[in-house]
Amino acid sequence: MPLVAGCANNPFYHRYVMVGQVVQASEGRTVVCIGEPKGAEVGQVLDAYRVVFRTDVVEEGESDWAREWIGKVRIDGIIDEHFATVDVVEGKIMKNDIVELEYL
């Protein structure tokens, strides 16, 4: 476990596993929490997901929640060690959506 926690602050983690959350989504300005500026880079594309409640669950033990892909954002500026502004490339992004580094 310490190995995994230690990885969260290294460049490999931010380049290949970075996950964040939309903290502001208003007309003309979308801000995400991304970790630290050394990990996020202007131009990176992040997939956006929304957590949705599933009504089609039929098997016991199956999760009632799912991540639904809703679009993409591109980092256009780093605000500080935790936040960045993004351009919405595709989809309708809302506050509390999850953003995750696009896997190539």
Side-chain angles (χ1 to χ4, degrees):
M1 189 66 143
L3 176 62
V4 174
C7 293
N9 290 322
N10 76 32
F12 175 85
Y13 174 83
H14 285 286
R15 183 167 304 279
Y16 298 105
V17 190
M18 183 172 45
V19 176
Q21 182 176 17
V22 177
V23 295
Q24 179 184 358
S26 57
E27 195 64 37
R29 183 170 167 99
T30 303
V31 177
V32 297
C33 177
I34 45 87
E36 56 182 278
K38 294 179 206 144
E41 299 171 3
V42 171
Q44 283 180 317
V45 175
L46 306 169
D47 284 312
Y49 299 89
R50 186 163 300 135
V51 175
V52 295
F53 184 76
R54 294 178 51 201
T55 58
D56 63 339
V57 174
V58 292
E59 288 190 36
E60 186 175 335
E62 197 174 354
S63 176
D64 291 333
W65 298 95
R67 287 174 17 138
E68 180 179 283
W69 185 90
I70 53 165
K72 293 177 183 279
V73 298
R74 180 179 299 112
I75 296 176
D76 67 357
I78 305 296
I79 296 173
D80 63 19
E81 65 186 47
H82 295 288
F83 302 99
T85 57
V86 296
D87 283 325
V88 177
V89 175
E90 183 180 341
K92 174 130 176 70
I93 309 303
M94 297 172 59
K95 184 176 179 179
N96 297 323
D97 286 342
I98 298 167
V99 292
E100 183 174 86
L101 190 60
E102 180 180 63
Y103 296 105
L104 301 176

